[in-house]
Amino acid sequence: MEKSEISSVKKQFDADVKKLAGDSLSIEAISLLRNSYTGKDSQLAKLFKELGTLDSKERGPAGKELNVLKQHIEESCQLLEEQYIQHKAMVDDEKQDIDLTAPFATTKESLERLQSQGASNPVSEEVEKMLSIFRTMGFHIFEARELDTEYFIFDSLNFPPNHPARENWDAFKTAEGLVPTPHTSNMQVRVMRYFKKPPVRAVIYGRCFRNEAVDVVHGHTFHQIEGLYVDKGVSVADMIGTIKAYLEAFFEQEIVWRIQPSFFPFVEPGIEFMVRCIFCKGVGCGSCKHSGWLEVAGAGMIHPNVLREAGIDPDEYTGFAWGLGLDRTILQKNGIKDIRSLFASDIRFLRHDV
Ligand code: FA5
């Protein structure tokens, strides 16, 4: 493999990126570009295959260069996506003819209406407490991105293209091909890359959206707290201990919890944390859909492919991740029986009248 072959792929890629900038930029075009440079039939894939035919002296440096090029392509595509989203938001703002600088009405009626607003939503009240528990454990806090690309939501998390597991997330899609994120795991690879190298201790809070059959414990919009801990020698025991310590601190009372095996493509092994329903104490009632238990978090040891995608060597480091459903734990802690009350905008609920 000639060095010039690698630099000519880079040159061609950079030229294609330049061509895309401006009006021809779209999510589909970026996705096509990414596929044509990193997909199975790409020149890059061919060069990676050729690595095996090189002698051992040449293989190391050539492999390094190819990885640098792969990262360059990935980062440039990500940057293009961010540019596109910003550009689109600006254009949409310009199209609106609402005067955002208009002053508040100050009539007597409007002031009365303002004063009669309710209390803050339990989610806003509890989120601060939740984040501060993780802060005292030494985690850095980040906010999740709500509208994202399939790459961060699925591909970067070890979901093969068109794999049926994607359907478990019931994701929506916008006309531009973006996805209102169905889980905060879309931040995993991004945040690990942000730290550059372990230790990574991060907690990410955000809203999630799913095309869900809504019921007492399922909202179409809900919140998750994602957690990541990567370092040398991190174990399953660390994972269980951390989540258990959090749940005990959050509930401020003894809770009965259990774990059971589960499958998520981005962890191995995967588990689910269940909390015994505080309303029926495990007997079964309407609030726990008669199972006696509520699933409050998915978790597991981060899959080596995900660590690799984030530029972390899985032979050197291990880590765990979790995705905790905030709303369900808030229901249980505050004795609220139906998740829909959190988002119904019923002023009587916010005033604690119902
Ligand atoms: C996930 O979303 C994974 N991303 C979690 C994860 C992260 C696993 C990191 C491993 C490592 P799941 O779909 O089970 O998994 O959702 C996680 C939690 O979010 C659930 O336990 C539940 O508490 C909450 N949740 C899921 N769907 C809803 C919904 N429609 N309404 C309210 N809460 C929900």
Side-chain angles (χ1 to χ4, degrees):
M1 179 189 319
E2 297 291 326
K3 224 176 166 178
S4 61
E5 275 183 276
I6 301 178
S7 57
S8 100
V9 176
K10 179 169 184 300
K11 237 189 214 159
Q12 185 57 44
F13 172 75
D14 288 340
D16 285 351
V17 166
K18 263 201 193 127
K19 269 191 239 155
L20 260 194
D23 286 347
S24 50
L25 197 57
S26 70
I27 289 297
E28 290 81 8
I30 300 166
S31 171
L32 273 177
L33 179 75
R34 179 187 275 120
N35 270 343
S36 69
Y37 278 92
T38 59
K40 261 201 266 154
D41 302 323
S42 65
Q43 185 70 8
L44 189 67
K46 209 182 104 217
L47 291 174
F48 267 113
K49 264 190 215 134
E50 274 177 28
L51 273 183
T53 63
L54 297 182
D55 69 42
S56 55
K57 256 196 209 145
E58 288 172 9
R59 200 178 306 140
K64 225 181 219 169
E65 271 192 55
L66 283 178
N67 277 323
V68 168
L69 175 59
K70 188 175 171 214
Q71 195 168 350
H72 171 70
I73 294 172
E74 203 36 71
E75 285 174 358
S76 306
C77 289
Q78 194 185 331
L79 199 70
L80 280 175
E81 279 161 359
E82 282 165 12
Q83 279 170 359
Y84 170 76
I85 291 164
Q86 271 173 13
H87 172 72
K88 176 115 193 14
M90 247 161 58
V91 172
D92 288 351
D93 272 356
E94 279 163 16
K95 277 192 207 144
Q96 283 192 7
D97 51 7
I98 300 170
D99 179 2
L100 296 175
T101 61
F104 259 99
T106 48
T107 59
K108 187 164 167 281
E109 291 77 14
S110 72
L111 281 176
E112 270 168 11
R113 213 166 42 234
L114 274 181
Q115 279 155 9
S116 74
Q117 284 179 357
S120 50
N121 189 292
V123 176
S124 327
E125 280 176 18
E126 296 287 8
V127 154
E128 270 315 307
K129 291 184 212 160
M130 292 170 162
L131 296 180
S132 74
I133 296 170
F134 286 118
R135 209 175 274 124
T136 55
M137 288 185 190
F139 286 90
H140 298 259
I141 311 289
F142 294 83
E143 217 176 309
R145 184 153 169 170
E146 294 186 349
L147 196 56
D148 211 344
T149 57
E150 283 198 50
Y151 170 73
F152 284 110
I153 294 169
F154 295 122
D155 303 46
S156 70
L157 294 174
N158 196 37
F159 284 80
N162 304 320
H163 193 278
R166 292 178 185 227
E167 290 188 7
N168 295 344
W169 272 263
D170 296 309
F172 295 106
K173 204 167 190 176
T174 70
E176 295 83 6
L178 290 171
V179 182
T181 195
H183 58 172
T184 43
S185 302
N186 64 324
M187 300 299 288
Q188 285 193 8
V189 165
R190 232 188 228 114
V191 168
M192 284 192 271
R193 285 183 189 164
Y194 170 86
F195 276 81
K196 297 217 162 61
K197 72 193 263 288
V200 174
R201 278 191 303 269
V203 153
I204 308 126
Y205 155 73
R207 258 191 326 170
C208 308
F209 312 88
R210 294 189 191 179
N211 185 10
E212 213 35 290
V214 170
D215 62 25
V216 282
V217 287
H218 289 93
H220 50 69
T221 305
F222 58 97
H223 301 79
Q224 285 186 345
I225 288 189
E226 191 82 7
L228 289 170
Y229 180 33
V230 185
D231 205 347
K232 284 189 179 157
V234 175
S235 70
V236 172
D238 296 322
M239 167 172 75
I240 295 173
T242 306
I243 301 175
K244 175 175 172 281
Y246 163 77
L247 288 175
E248 284 173 358
F250 172 68
F251 278 102
E252 295 166 358
Q253 59 178 292
E254 221 166 280
I255 47 153
V256 184
W257 60 277
R258 69 169 199 217
I259 52 178
Q260 62 189 36
S262 187
F263 171 72
F264 304 96
F266 36 99
V267 290
E268 182 55 46
I271 58 169
E272 275 168 1
F273 261 80
M274 317 285 288
V275 168
R276 195 180 74 180
C277 178
I278 57 144
F279 295 107
C280 64
K281 306 255 178 296
V283 176
C285 67
S287 296
C288 56
K289 298 187 41 185
H290 304 283
S291 73
W293 294 86
L294 271 178
E295 182 212 321
V296 292
M301 300 303 288
I302 304 174
H303 196 285
N305 287 349
V306 178
L307 290 175
R308 263 184 225 112
E309 194 68 26
I312 295 173
D313 181 355
D315 293 329
E316 202 176 340
Y317 296 102
T318 50
F320 62 80
W322 74 80
L324 183 97
L326 299 201
D327 314 85
R328 286 189 193 168
T329 54
I330 289 173
L331 298 188
Q332 288 280 309
K333 184 175 168 185
N334 292 274
I336 303 166
K337 292 204 160 142
D338 190 327
I339 200 167
R340 289 166 285 199
S341 4
L342 294 177
F343 311 108
S345 304
D346 184 342
I347 200 92
R348 292 168 306 165
F349 170 75
L350 294 180
R351 281 201 212 112
H352 305 283
D353 290 347
V354 285

